[in-house]
Amino acid sequence: MKKVGVIGLGHIASVYGGPYTHVGGIIESSKVTLAAVADISEAAHTKFNEQWGGKFPETKRYRDYKEMFAAEDLDIVAVCTRGPHHYRAMMDVIKAKPKAIFLEKPPTCSLQEMDEINEAANAAGIPITVSYSRHWGPHVMRMAELIKEGLIGNITSVVGYCGHPILSFASHQTDMICQFAGYDPVAVYARGTIPENEVPPGFEPEPNLRSMIIEFKSGIIGTQVDTTNELGNFSCTIQGTEGRACVAFYNPPLAWNKKGEAIDLRSHNIPGMSTSPFKVAYEQIADHLDGGPPPDCTGHDYIAVHEIGFGGIESILTGKRIELPNLNRARKVFANM
């Protein structure tokens, strides 16, 4: 049983609907346990106790995460603070030397920050997994397996449906596109809008994505748009040489052969949608600590998604196609969700 400590008790950590939170995933798992939580807000602790206290009576509560590190021997630390606080928290977590880190998106507010936390984590031998949580829908993962095995032939294009803030929200969809197209992006071309929100000194506003073309080394073309198809946000249409498929986080998948005839997916062992994606993610991390393969959305994979996001921002601001990796590592965006 791996011991987890959670930093930050906001919406994605514990407040949203049970299965769609870190705490909700942990409680479903037999491989991890919630050893401790930390948040500077007394109101956040009160909310956590009201919502979860009866289910985690032995979980230690801390106001300062450094006190949590000093008192607890943690295997996994989940960083669930807001984006602008990730860099400082991550550098402190890496110094505490847990065995693995589960970092909420957006991982950092600049590519330079990402480079620095990766350098520090790699030197310490600590894998970083980023919570593009829609990735771990069991039905989504099964469809990715089937499509990789040739269900609809060779993939030629992937269209994803989701816009909004490019790093804080649309990045879920960017990851899903990569889940089917691969994590080898070489260039992006994007359009979007710049909100007029005031941001703290040193930051730029986070653009809202309208559309983005992602070129992959494999030759696959990914397209992301801020509209929805019949399956809603967080869905992809995958075109192959022998058919196509629609895969969504919140709806059952669909597929058709080259003739346009529906493929009966009932014989392909598609899981239901009741399992918490966070349970799946935490169990991948736990299995990796026991010698299994790296978790999804870890290392190179999350780096590719973040490079696409910042490449998209650079393209929105300059109107140009941006080759990856993005040369502008210093741009700092107030990605706050």
Side-chain angles (χ1 to χ4, degrees):
M1 184 78 75
K2 306 302 180 187
K3 293 186 288 185
V4 180
V6 173
I7 300 173
L9 292 174
H11 287 82
I12 197 61
S14 60
V15 177
Y16 287 142
Y20 298 106
T21 61
H22 285 258
V23 172
I26 291 168
I27 203 169
E28 285 190 12
S29 176
S30 61
K31 296 184 178 183
V32 294
T33 185
L34 186 61
V37 297
D39 197 296
I40 61 173
S41 166
E42 187 62 37
H45 281 281
T46 300
K47 178 74 173 177
F48 176 82
N49 289 335
E50 290 172 351
Q51 194 166 1
W52 299 100
K55 297 179 180 179
F56 293 104
E58 298 181 3
T59 298
K60 303 294 179 57
R61 277 74 159 168
Y62 296 90
R63 295 289 294 275
D64 185 333
Y65 63 71
K66 291 183 180 179
E67 292 180 6
M68 179 176 75
F69 297 155
E72 306 290 337
D73 182 18
L74 301 170
D75 298 298
I76 304 166
V77 171
V79 177
C80 300
T81 58
R82 288 187 176 272
H85 305 297
H86 284 178
Y87 174 75
R88 180 169 63 93
M90 283 292 292
M91 296 304 281
D92 289 337
V93 173
I94 292 166
K95 289 177 185 176
K97 296 185 178 180
K99 296 182 177 68
I101 300 172
F102 195 14
L103 172 62
E104 260 305 320
K105 56 79 192 164
T108 59
C109 288
S110 76
L111 291 174
Q112 182 176 325
E113 289 179 342
M114 180 186 74
D115 295 340
E116 291 179 12
I117 67 169
N118 279 327
E119 182 179 2
N122 289 339
I126 303 170
I128 299 172
T129 302
V130 171
S131 178
Y132 298 119
S133 56
R134 275 70 177 181
H135 183 106
W136 288 285
H139 60 297
V140 176
M141 295 175 67
R142 177 59 179 152
M143 285 299 294
E145 289 177 354
L146 291 171
I147 289 172
K148 186 176 181 180
E149 292 167 2
L151 178 71
I152 55 172
N154 296 322
I155 299 173
T156 58
S157 65
V158 181
V159 180
Y161 300 89
C162 181
H164 307 291
I166 190 168
L167 302 177
S168 300
F169 192 80
S171 57
H172 282 298
Q173 189 64 64
T174 306
D175 173 75
M176 190 181 288
I177 291 171
C178 293
Q179 194 170 2
F180 291 96
Y183 289 87
D184 59 350
V186 295
V188 299
Y189 184 78
R191 286 292 175 267
T193 58
I194 311 300
E196 297 182 356
N197 306 338
E198 290 189 13
V199 298
F203 288 91
E204 299 177 18
E206 180 180 10
N208 290 308
L209 181 66
R210 292 181 59 192
S211 64
M212 178 164 59
I213 295 171
I214 309 166
E215 301 173 27
F216 291 91
K217 186 177 181 180
S218 62
I220 297 170
I221 297 296
T223 305
Q224 190 164 342
V225 292
D226 68 344
T227 59
T228 59
N229 67 358
E230 63 271 23
L231 297 182
N233 270 342
F234 308 124
S235 64
C236 280
T237 298
I238 305 101
Q239 184 66 49
T241 54
E242 301 298 325
R244 66 184 177 94
C246 288
V247 182
F249 182 75
Y250 292 112
N251 286 284
L254 303 168
W256 299 265
N257 62 23
K258 197 171 185 179
K259 297 179 181 179
E261 300 165 335
I263 298 172
D264 187 354
L265 295 175
R266 291 176 295 180
S267 63
H268 290 283
N269 300 316
I270 306 296
M273 297 183 293
S274 60
T275 300
S276 165
F278 287 96
K279 173 182 184 290
V280 178
Y282 274 105
E283 293 192 347
Q284 282 191 350
I285 297 170
D287 288 343
H288 178 56
L289 295 181
D290 286 334
D296 294 350
C297 303
T298 296
H300 171 271
D301 290 359
Y302 98 75
I303 291 171
V305 174
H306 212 35
E307 288 280 4
I308 291 170
F310 270 96
I313 292 171
E314 202 72 21
S315 183
I316 289 168
L317 295 173
T318 65
K320 298 178 180 179
R321 172 182 177 272
I322 303 297
E323 294 187 358
L324 303 177
N326 189 354
L327 296 179
N328 187 349
R329 315 300 284 181
R331 186 183 298 283
K332 198 169 183 180
V333 175
F334 193 64
N336 197 37
M337 291 181 70

